[in-house]
């Protein structure tokens, strides 16, 4: 069996030089005089970031990232052989800390865990402690690319689950949004004896049906939507109408897009920064944050285009499988759920819909927060997790022998 080896990010200078050369050769498109973010990433923003990237010091960002304990290990995935997986693994000084698997999505990466990491590992007051594991998913960050078709939600779930087992965590909890929502749902379906509870901050769910969720459906039919519920539906409608084109492209022709993202750093900036801007809740992104975020894609092991393949593979998963979009929205009885609703997330459902996913033991509706919850509002997420898994919480003591306290 493979054992994890310490890992340090070390991008070759030749790759940095190539990036700078490509930036210097950019031919920018024109732009309509009155265009704004509704038209896509504005030209002046891309020009500004392009100039900033030329003089920005990746090695300083790399040094900061390397302050966090990172590892690489081989994970055997059925039908795909062994994949080298990169991950953060920071343990608490408290032996009974709760093992927490943090799963990122697109256009995120493992760095989304960084702001919450110290607060979970080193608790204050009467808060529980956590051991935190945050992998780079295959095809993302510094993990290996997948070389054959069909690597979808069941395989991502298998990868993450086997990583936890390799680290000695027979039982664990999860926290996720975006693709992490779907992957941790798949983990709960496939490995309910190990995945004891999940906290999610993108709540994708179906309208309650009397044939499947009679009690929730009855409540849904009697009680009107709250103002927050109504706003969730408005935001969802906006996203599907005005901001979801990327999903259709990546779900149907990811290879075509990959040529542009792999070869053009300006294309990569405009593609990802648009999402950082539009999907967050008025968050003040600094150039350093943006460039670190995008550079992890630029310097990723598989190349920035590979990350989009997850959309195609999941869209083309056989519909008789367990880990389809439809099946993963069905009730999962054995995994306790915590649901956090943020006003600027993308596909949140009304709270009554969320209760069709499983046994909900924690709910929170925030006045602020967007799609990149762990990065935008880290303290709110920390509070969610502490409340759900701390003493008196609905998932307290859910992991055998690991309640988070001395």
């Amino acid at each position: 069996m493979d054992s994890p080896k310490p890992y340090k990010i070390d991008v070759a200078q030749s790759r940095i030089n190539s990036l700078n050369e490509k930036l210097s050769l950019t031919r920018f498109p024109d732009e309509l005089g009155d265009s704004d973010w509704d038209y896509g990433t504005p030209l002046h923003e891309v020009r500004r970031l392009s100039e900033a990237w030329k003089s920005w010091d990746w090695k300083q960002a790399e040094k900061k990232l390397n302050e966090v304990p990172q590892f690489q290990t081989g994970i055997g995935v059925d039908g795909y052989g062994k994949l080298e997986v990169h991950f953060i693994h920071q343990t608490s000084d408290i032996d009974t800390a709760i093992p927490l698997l943090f799963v990122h999505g697109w256009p995120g990466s493992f760095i989304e865990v960084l702001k919450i990491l110290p607060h979970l590992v080193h608790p204050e007051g009467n808060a529980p402690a956590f051991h935190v594991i945050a992998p780079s998913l295959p095809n993302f960050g510094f993990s290996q690319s997948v070389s054959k078709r069909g690597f979808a939600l069941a395989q991502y779930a298998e990868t993450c689950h086997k990583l936890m087992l390799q680290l000695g965590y027979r039982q664990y909890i999860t926290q996720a949004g975006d693709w992490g929502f779907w992957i941790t749902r798949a983990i709960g379906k496939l490995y309910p004896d190990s995945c004891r509870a999940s906290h999610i901050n993108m709540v994708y769910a179906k309208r309650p049906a009397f044939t499947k969720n009679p009690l929730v459906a009855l409540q849904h039919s009697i009680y009107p939507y709250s103002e927050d519920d109504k706003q969730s539906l408005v935001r969802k409608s906006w996203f599907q109408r005005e901001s979801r084109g990327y999903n259709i492209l990546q779900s149907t022709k990811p290879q075509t897009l990959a040529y542009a993202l792999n070869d053009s750093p300006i294309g990569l900036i405009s593609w990802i920064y648009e999402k950082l801007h539009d999907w967050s809740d008025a968050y003040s992104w600094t150039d350093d944050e943006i460039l670190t975020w995008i550079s992890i894609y630029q310097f990723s092991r598989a190349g920035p285009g590979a990350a989009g393949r997850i959309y195609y593979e999941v869209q083309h998963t056989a519909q008789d499988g367990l880990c389809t979009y439809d099946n993963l929205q069905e009730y999962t009885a054995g995994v306790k759920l915590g649901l956090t609703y943020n006003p600027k997330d993308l596909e949140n459902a009304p709270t009554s819909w969320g209760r069709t996913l499983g046994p909900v033991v924690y709910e929170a509706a925030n006045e602020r927060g967007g799609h990149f919850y762990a990065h935008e509002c880290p303290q709110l997420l920390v509070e969610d997790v502490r409340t759900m898994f701390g003493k008196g919480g609905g998932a307290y003591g859910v992991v055998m022998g690991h309640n988070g306290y001395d």
Side-chain angles (χ1 to χ4, degrees):
M1 177 184 289
D2 284 65
S3 58
K5 297 177 175 59
Y7 183 89
K8 292 289 185 182
I9 304 169
D10 186 14
V11 174
Q13 186 61 45
S14 60
R15 297 186 69 187
I16 300 171
N17 294 343
S18 175
L19 166 64
N20 289 331
E21 182 179 5
K22 288 183 176 183
L23 289 171
S24 69
L25 296 173
T26 300
R27 291 190 303 157
F28 291 98
D30 65 355
E31 181 182 61
L32 297 179
D34 58 350
S35 64
D36 203 346
W37 281 99
D38 63 322
Y39 223 86
T41 314
L43 179 59
H44 72 275
E45 289 283 353
V46 178
R47 284 187 180 276
R48 179 182 62 78
L49 286 170
S50 173
E51 288 302 311
W53 210 357
K54 290 177 187 177
S55 58
W56 181 71
D57 189 350
W58 161 255
K59 285 296 179 181
Q60 279 299 113
E62 188 178 80
K63 181 179 179 181
K64 186 175 181 180
L65 291 172
N66 282 332
E67 292 174 359
V68 179
Q70 297 169 65
F71 302 86
Q72 186 181 77
T73 193
I75 301 292
V77 181
D78 292 346
Y80 294 86
K82 187 179 293 183
L83 297 174
E84 292 182 350
V85 175
H86 159 264
F87 62 98
I88 289 173
H89 183 200
Q90 186 152 9
T91 57
S92 173
D93 293 334
I94 296 174
D95 292 338
T96 54
I98 306 163
L100 184 152
L101 171 67
F102 178 96
V103 184
H104 69 80
W106 186 94
S109 71
F110 70 95
I111 66 168
E112 291 182 78
V113 81
L114 294 181
K115 288 186 177 182
I116 65 173
L117 192 59
H119 303 288
L120 296 180
V121 173
H122 306 294
E124 303 98 12
N126 195 39
F130 299 84
H131 302 313
V132 180
I133 303 88
S136 292
L137 295 171
N139 289 330
F140 288 78
F142 303 106
S143 286
Q144 187 177 347
S145 63
V146 180
S147 60
K148 58 186 285 191
R149 287 176 179 262
F151 200 95
L153 293 173
Q155 288 71 35
Y156 282 103
E158 181 184 350
T159 303
C160 292
H161 173 65
K162 286 184 173 178
L163 173 62
M164 296 300 283
L165 295 184
Q166 188 183 113
L167 296 174
Y169 301 123
R170 310 302 299 182
Q171 292 187 340
Y172 52 86
I173 64 168
T174 67
Q175 200 292 314
D178 197 84
W179 277 116
F181 165 82
W182 297 105
I183 293 168
T184 58
R185 291 290 293 168
I187 292 172
K189 290 284 188 187
L190 296 171
Y191 314 107
D193 291 338
S194 291
C195 180
R196 305 306 301 146
S198 295
H199 177 270
I200 51 181
N201 54 267
M202 183 189 81
V203 185
Y204 198 104
K206 302 175 186 177
R207 184 189 301 269
F210 280 99
T211 55
K212 294 183 177 181
N213 315 99
L215 180 58
V216 177
L218 178 61
Q219 294 170 337
H220 174 264
S221 67
I222 295 173
Y223 298 106
Y225 287 146
S226 68
E227 285 305 311
D228 287 343
D229 288 338
K230 293 175 183 177
Q231 289 305 309
S232 289
L233 292 173
V234 169
R235 177 70 168 174
K236 186 183 184 81
S237 175
W238 166 84
F239 172 70
Q240 293 179 339
R241 186 180 65 253
E242 299 289 349
S243 194
R244 203 171 178 271
Y246 78 96
N247 189 303
I248 297 171
L249 179 55
Q250 293 183 167
S251 296
T252 55
K253 295 292 186 287
Q255 186 65 25
T256 303
L257 178 62
Y259 298 111
L261 298 183
N262 280 40
D263 191 58
S264 173
I266 294 300
L268 186 63
I269 285 177
S270 60
W271 192 245
I272 291 182
Y273 183 40
E274 172 204 296
K275 282 70 177 175
L276 299 183
H277 175 274
D278 286 1
W279 298 356
S280 55
D281 188 6
Y283 181 76
S284 297
W285 293 93
T286 67
D287 285 357
D288 188 64
E289 287 175 307
I290 297 165
L291 295 176
T292 300
W293 198 288
I294 293 173
S295 292
I296 287 176
Y297 277 85
Q298 175 69 26
F299 298 130
S300 63
R301 179 170 175 176
R309 293 175 189 155
I310 187 173
Y311 290 84
Y312 181 95
E313 299 298 351
V314 177
Q315 183 68 32
H316 292 81
T317 297
Q319 291 306 297
D320 59 353
L322 182 62
C323 295
T324 63
Y325 284 132
D326 192 57
N327 285 343
L328 293 179
Q329 293 176 76
E330 298 294 336
Y331 196 90
T332 302
V335 181
K336 292 184 177 182
L337 284 182
L339 309 178
T340 293
Y341 298 85
N342 293 311
K344 293 297 183 180
D345 212 328
L346 306 177
E347 302 241 36
N348 273 353
T351 53
S352 60
W353 297 24
R355 294 168 194 151
T356 67
L357 295 172
V360 176
V361 299
Y362 175 82
E363 283 181 323
N366 292 324
E367 295 182 357
R368 61 187 175 91
H371 190 61
F372 307 103
Y373 186 40
H375 191 82
E376 296 176 63
C377 305
Q379 199 54 51
L380 291 180
L381 176 51
V382 168
E383 191 60 32
D384 289 335
V385 175
R386 286 175 171 174
T387 302
M388 179 175 173
F389 295 99
K391 292 179 179 178
Y396 172 66
V398 72
V399 176
M400 188 180 301
H402 290 269
N403 65 10
Y405 297 89
D406 284 325

